[in-house]
Amino acid sequence: MVAPGFVFGLVLQLLLLANTSAGSFRFASYINDYMVLQKEPSGAVIWGYGVSGATVTVTLCQGQTAIMKKVTSVQVHSNSWTVVLDPMRPGGPYELMAQQTFERMNFTLRVQNVLFGDVWLCSGQSNMQMTVSQIVNATSELLNTAAYQSVRILSVSLSQAEEELEDLRKVDLPWSKPTSENLGHGDFEYMSAVCWLFGRHLYDTLQYPIGLISSSWGGTPIEAWSSGRSLKACGVSSQGFLPSDFVTGPSKHSVLWNAMIHPLHNMTLKGVIWYQGESNVNYNRDLYNCTFPALVEDWRQTFHRGSQGQTERFFPFGFVQLSSYLSGATSDDGFPQIRWHQTADFGSVPNVMMPRTFMAVAMDLCDRDSPFGSIHPRDKQTVAYRLHLGARAVAYGEKVIFQGPVPQNIELLASQGLLNLTYSQEIQVQRQDNKTFEISCCSDHWCKWLPAPTDTFSTWTLALNIKSCPGTVAAVRYAWTTWPCEYKQCPLYHPTSALPAPPFTAVVTDRASGSNSKAAK
């Protein structure tokens, strides 16, 4: 006869084992109802945690029909499990089911209303973090969600970590359908307006589901979003942080990469958009032409490896060039330099240092009366529209104009007192002034920047009057100031796309030279 105590003990052990098995079996923190998974040609990565050695079966269902089944096991050391789904056409909804089998015990997890489409990660500091409630026409924008229920949104909680985390500690907003409440939750809370509007434009163009992940923190330098590897590659020391008016969030190196980006690296992505740079105006500014391209490269490597090759090695990476700021400073300050460094000192993207990137110029979207300060302009609709043009061209291969005109050749006509600029695209001179273009005038080993008024212009060329320079013209620059123009009133635009010419600086030689020459100092 078996002793009652033995039976009770055995039952207790089984119950404890069952509770432990059930409690430790879960999806990754960002896998939940209403999510969007990356569509074909990539396979979506599904992962989570379980009991070491257990078998996990992941099934994708549509209605009552199982259309795909993947089997794996829980890894011994990490207690994690991973499967890669077969590439799926865009659409849905589907149900995702994961079943753990361990010592005759089965536990099942379900995620419902899953769509397949394109997944974009949106990151940066406060201009990315601003919500729809903070932008122009906020009331009407918050009501404009009914037609976009296939654009799903997720917001990562603010978090820091000293080491790279494998999973998010918390999410502020799990995958959700868009509503006025979660899009306008509060100032700098929940969903990014730029991210949402960008995704909405993509949906209008593509007409299939879009997944948007917001992971941003205001007042943060690029070093906080960078891995130790990429910072080391740029020679960034681990010195203490220097105080800056633009730094209000975490500044310690890598802490946001560790807690808010790395935990997403197993996910299959279509691409990333980024809006950051203000916090580096007075910190490691001269290194930004390395730290930003290095961040792009490191994120690409990490997400490619983490997704088992499903995220493209050179996935599309879009960013917003810094807007304007009423600082009262002279033109020789950090904003124009950061704008230039955002392009790796080429003036435009994509380029050899930053392949498959695209940029939204925002220097003409200034906002003197923003209640959040002029550093936070409220016209995020134009920002998102310009970003989506870049995505359509770079990420989706459309033949659309996605950047403003850039000088292709610069020719010094000294005998005529002119500097002739030939552009790569048609130009529209919206207004003429005598300050936005400047020349570096040198004599007796001393150089000074002087205004160069527009003399004449045509569809493709523009001539600057350089007669004010009694010496040699060594360089030319455009819009090289913190506040280059009033709202949408910069001098040069593309005539049909209304995209502004980006700022540039270039060395001038006696012969014709390209604008992508070494930056003028």
Side-chain angles (χ1 to χ4, degrees), residues 250-470:
S251 59
K252 193 170 182 180
H253 296 180
S254 305
V255 291
L256 302 184
W257 159 260
N258 291 338
M260 296 178 67
I261 301 298
H262 187 268
L264 302 169
H265 78 291
N266 292 338
M267 179 185 294
T268 310
L269 294 179
K270 176 64 177 181
V272 169
I273 58 171
W274 170 262
Y275 195 159
Q276 190 276 335
E278 297 91 342
S279 289
N280 285 95
V281 165
N282 295 316
Y283 179 63
N284 283 340
R285 179 201 310 158
D286 293 339
L287 294 177
Y288 203 89
N289 58 357
C290 180
T291 51
F292 181 42
L295 176 143
V296 175
E297 168 62 13
D298 188 65
W299 284 28
R300 284 172 166 168
Q301 284 190 28
T302 304
F303 276 88
H304 180 69
R305 288 196 304 264
S307 65
Q308 300 182 37
Q310 298 303 309
T311 297
E312 289 183 22
R313 172 63 179 83
F314 293 96
F315 61 74
F317 196 110
F319 63 93
V320 184
Q321 198 177 45
L322 290 194
S323 186
S324 301
Y325 174 60
L326 282 174
S327 65
T330 65
S331 62
D332 186 24
D333 66 4
F335 265 67
Q337 292 179 42
I338 290 290
R339 290 188 193 115
W340 184 249
H341 292 337
Q342 284 178 297
T343 68
D345 297 352
F346 280 80
S348 63
V349 296
N351 57 54
V352 294
M353 290 293 294
M354 302 180 70
R356 298 207 74 201
T357 59
F358 54 95
M359 173 176 75
V361 175
M363 67 179 181
D364 67 331
L365 302 180
C366 46
D367 189 348
R368 290 179 178 273
D369 302 317
S370 172
F372 313 105
S374 63
I375 202 169
H376 297 123
R378 289 166 291 176
D379 180 4
K380 295 298 189 274
Q381 289 91 336
T382 303
V383 170
Y385 175 76
R386 291 173 180 176
L387 273 175
H388 112 280
L389 289 178
R392 285 170 63 184
V394 174
Y396 298 100
E398 286 192 52
K399 299 294 183 183
V400 295
I401 295 169
F402 66 100
Q403 57 185 355
V406 176
Q408 195 170 37
N409 288 293
I410 299 172
E411 185 179 10
L412 179 62
L413 306 174
S415 62
Q416 301 174 45
L418 297 174
L419 188 66
N420 199 56
L421 281 61
T422 302
Y423 281 80
S424 57
Q425 302 176 60
E426 291 185 64
I427 61 172
Q428 176 181 320
V429 178
Q430 184 162 283
R431 65 178 181 85
Q432 292 180 259
D433 67 13
N434 61 0
K435 62 180 182 179
T436 310
F437 281 101
E438 297 173 291
I439 51 172
S440 177
C441 181
C442 302
S443 59
D444 298 326
H445 307 289
W446 182 80
C447 299
K448 180 181 181 181
W449 288 103
L450 299 174
T454 301
D455 188 277
T456 59
F457 58 89
S458 66
T459 308
W460 296 87
T461 63
L462 183 147
L464 303 177
N465 187 319
I466 58 171
K467 293 177 182 176
S468 62
C469 178

Side-chain angles (χ1 to χ4, degrees), residues 27-153:
F27 285 115
S29 59
Y30 54 79
I31 296 177
N32 63 272
D33 296 347
Y34 303 108
M35 75 181 304
V36 176
L37 295 174
Q38 181 58 41
K39 71 167 187 68
E40 62 182 6
S42 300
V45 175
I46 305 297
W47 72 283
Y49 294 95
V51 175
S52 177
T55 298
V56 175
T57 303
V58 176
T59 307
L60 186 69
C61 302
Q62 190 163 37
Q64 300 300 314
T65 305
I67 62 175
M68 187 189 309
K69 188 172 288 188
K70 300 287 180 177
V71 180
T72 188
S73 58
V74 180
Q75 299 300 304
V76 174
H77 299 293
S78 64
N79 291 327
S80 65
W81 54 268
T82 304
V83 300
V84 179
L85 300 183
D86 298 335
M88 292 287 296
R89 293 174 61 84
Y94 296 90
E95 181 184 59
L96 192 67
M97 182 171 64
Q99 184 178 60
Q100 176 179 266
T101 303
F102 183 72
E103 296 186 356
R104 297 184 180 181
M105 291 178 290
N106 293 325
F107 303 98
T108 302
L109 306 171
R110 297 178 188 273
V111 174
Q112 298 178 329
N113 207 315
V114 175
L115 303 179
F116 285 86
D118 282 341
V119 182
W120 287 82
L121 169 62
C122 312
S123 187
Q125 55 181 113
S126 53
N127 271 302
M128 182 63 85
Q129 198 180 15
M130 285 177 72
T131 63
V132 179
S133 62
Q134 296 177 267
I135 65 176
V136 291
N137 300 321
T139 301
S140 61
E141 294 288 3
L142 288 172
L143 295 174
N144 187 19
T145 60
Y148 298 100
Q149 295 301 291
S150 292
V151 180
R152 306 289 174 82
I153 57 178

